[in-house]
Amino acid sequence: MVSIFSLPRIRRSLPFPPRPDPEMPAPQCASCNKARAALRRPRLGQALCGTCFCAAFEAEVLHTVVAGRLLPPGAVVAVGASGGKDSTVLAHVLRELAPRLGISLRLVAVDEGIGGYRDAALAAVRRQAARWELPLTVVAYADLFGGWTMDAVARSTAGSGRSRSCCTFCGVLRRRALEEGARLVGATHVVTGHNADDMAETVLMNFLRGDAGRLARGGGLGSPGEGGALPRCRPLQLASQKEVVLYAHFRRLDYFSEECVYAPEAFRGHARDLLKRLEAARPSAVLDLVHSAERLALAPAARPPPPGACARCGALASRALCQACALLDGLNRGRPRLAIGKGRRGLDEDGPPREAEPEPSGPPASEPVPAF
Ligand code: SF4
Ligand code: ZN
């Protein structure tokens, strides 16, 4: 069996796995040599049975957490649970690993107030919490942000109800809501389900916008918790989206797979399309992008001044108000575009702002599973 400690190097050096011939019988699992292989790992090309694949996937996440010192023993971990495949897989894997890591888990779900989408996703989170016997707390934008829901924000920003800026607003507010929810349940750490493909998309978006500051800050597996914020990390950051789908498939996880109604408008979709084309030509493109962001550093002259504290809420802020307070301020004054205008006045439209990580709305669960 491949040592998990040499995986990043091996992942980048192996060729893309050959397409299996549907006429050929499935080979033996390369790990246990007992069962028939049920899949070929998308990057490594290794033929594994479902049980050995899930064990390898969990071992790799464990390695990411331990090697990166992401979650120390005794940590109370708030898992940002959206009901989607990534956070479902993350919660399941961490639940499996919790005894070995010495951590305890709390599910925190955010209700953005998106009609026809979030209610069904939250139902999936409630089923997971009940099945896995994990405490669940739901925090709602409407309660936290003076009655603003995402649907109300969309109406206010565009009039059409489906503004291009929705994910920009949502990313900022969602991050704040998750932080509030995590504090409510007494968490010491926050984890989110971003996978390698999500991270590569973010790197590409930052490149396409020429945003060196975000590029340099976007590397690493998380943030240590600057300015009094809880430390955050992304334990699935080195796991490919295909393998997240495979893990959910073989563990028979119940998750919600519909796309958010505002997602088609987001710039992220263009980065996703571009990444898929790049990956077809160069299978290691996703991880190469993630690793390249880890190594980027800003030249001293290009570094922005160190952030201060928001005059209203005390959170980290590069201007007088943090992004969440600036957005809410603009909304309450009926001038939301002031807060999201292009350039240095505010946030860039459609992009994850400095402190925001819009929830990726990945491909539906119907993505083909490379099984034999
Ligand atoms: Fe919010 Fe995600 Fe929907 Fe964008 S796609 S509006 S970030 S839930
Ligand atoms: Zn603030």
Side-chain angles (χ1 to χ4, degrees):
M1 177 142 177
V2 174
S3 159
I4 58 169
F5 296 101
S6 55
L7 270 171
R9 189 165 46 81
I10 288 174
R11 274 180 174 172
R12 275 175 280 147
S13 62
L14 278 181
F16 192 63
R19 293 176 72 84
D21 181 346
E23 300 299 317
M24 294 265 291
Q28 294 287 104
C29 169
S31 179
C32 67
N33 283 314
K34 291 187 191 128
R36 285 275 168 210
L39 71 132
R40 194 176 286 281
R41 293 195 75 173
R43 283 198 202 115
L44 297 168
Q46 202 184 21
L48 294 178
C49 67
T51 306
C52 288
F53 164 72
C54 290
F57 186 92
E58 287 163 10
E60 288 161 23
V61 176
L62 177 66
H63 174 58
T64 301
V65 172
V66 172
R69 298 193 176 118
L70 302 181
L71 302 171
V76 179
V77 180
V79 183
S82 68
K85 69 178 187 319
D86 298 300
S87 67
T88 299
V89 165
L90 176 64
H92 187 273
V93 171
L94 287 183
R95 185 171 169 271
E96 296 292 311
L97 300 178
R100 290 164 75 182
L101 289 168
I103 59 174
S104 55
L105 302 178
R106 313 275 186 273
L107 298 183
V108 176
V110 176
D111 181 357
E112 300 93 342
I114 301 174
Y117 167 69
R118 190 46 91 196
D119 293 345
L122 285 173
V125 180
R126 290 197 176 93
R127 288 196 299 274
Q128 292 162 4
R131 186 166 306 139
W132 299 336
E133 297 179 333
L134 289 174
L136 167 66
T137 298
V138 181
V139 287
Y141 279 11
D143 298 333
L144 294 172
F145 305 127
W148 284 103
T149 62
M150 265 317 294
D151 284 338
V153 170
R155 283 192 296 272
S156 168
T157 52
S160 68
R162 301 274 161 101
S163 164
R164 275 197 326 125
S165 315
C166 280
C167 291
T168 303
F169 279 91
C170 192
V172 173
L173 299 181
R174 190 178 166 74
R175 186 177 178 94
R176 172 62 57 88
L178 188 53
E179 178 85 14
E180 298 280 340
R183 288 185 186 282
L184 206 64
V185 301
T188 58
H189 291 71
V190 179
V191 293
T192 56
H194 297 82
N195 62 42
D197 294 60
D198 303 326
M199 299 313 298
E201 286 163 14
T202 301
V203 173
L204 257 186
M205 283 158 63
N206 289 334
F207 262 121
L208 294 173
R209 284 192 303 248
D211 193 330
R214 280 184 205 153
L215 264 176
R217 285 190 298 264
L221 291 160
S223 60
E226 294 170 292
L230 294 171
R232 269 179 192 246
C233 62
R234 302 176 285 258
L236 300 184
Q237 182 169 319
L238 300 179
S240 75
Q241 185 154 264
K242 287 194 181 95
E243 295 211 342
V244 169
V245 173
L246 281 168
Y247 183 88
H249 171 77
F250 285 107
R251 286 287 190 228
R252 298 173 194 274
L253 301 183
D254 160 29
Y255 63 89
F256 181 73
S257 57
E258 276 175 37
E259 192 176 60
C260 170
V261 294
Y262 301 117
E265 308 292 328
F267 183 50
R268 183 174 284 274
H270 298 292
R272 181 169 298 154
D273 292 344
L274 180 54
L275 189 63
K276 284 203 189 316
R277 297 222 299 278
L278 287 173
E279 204 183 7
R282 181 182 166 84
S284 63
V286 168
L287 268 190
D288 287 346
L289 270 166
V290 174
H291 289 305
S292 67
E294 286 166 9
R295 296 189 190 101
L296 280 172
L298 279 185
R303 284 182 200 148
C310 171
R312 190 162 298 161
C313 72
L316 218 57
S318 49
R319 284 179 285 271
L321 294 182
C322 71
Q323 289 179 334
C325 289
L327 288 182
L328 291 168
D329 206 43
L331 287 168
N332 288 330
R333 288 198 283 151
R335 303 173 75 190
R337 297 242 160 229
L338 268 188
I340 57 164
K342 295 266 186 194
R344 300 192 62 80
R345 282 188 312 142
L347 311 176
D348 293 338
E349 290 193 26
D350 281 333
R354 183 186 172 283
E355 59 187 284
E357 263 175 51
E359 179 193 358
S361 26
S366 55
E367 178 163 324
V369 171
F372 289 103

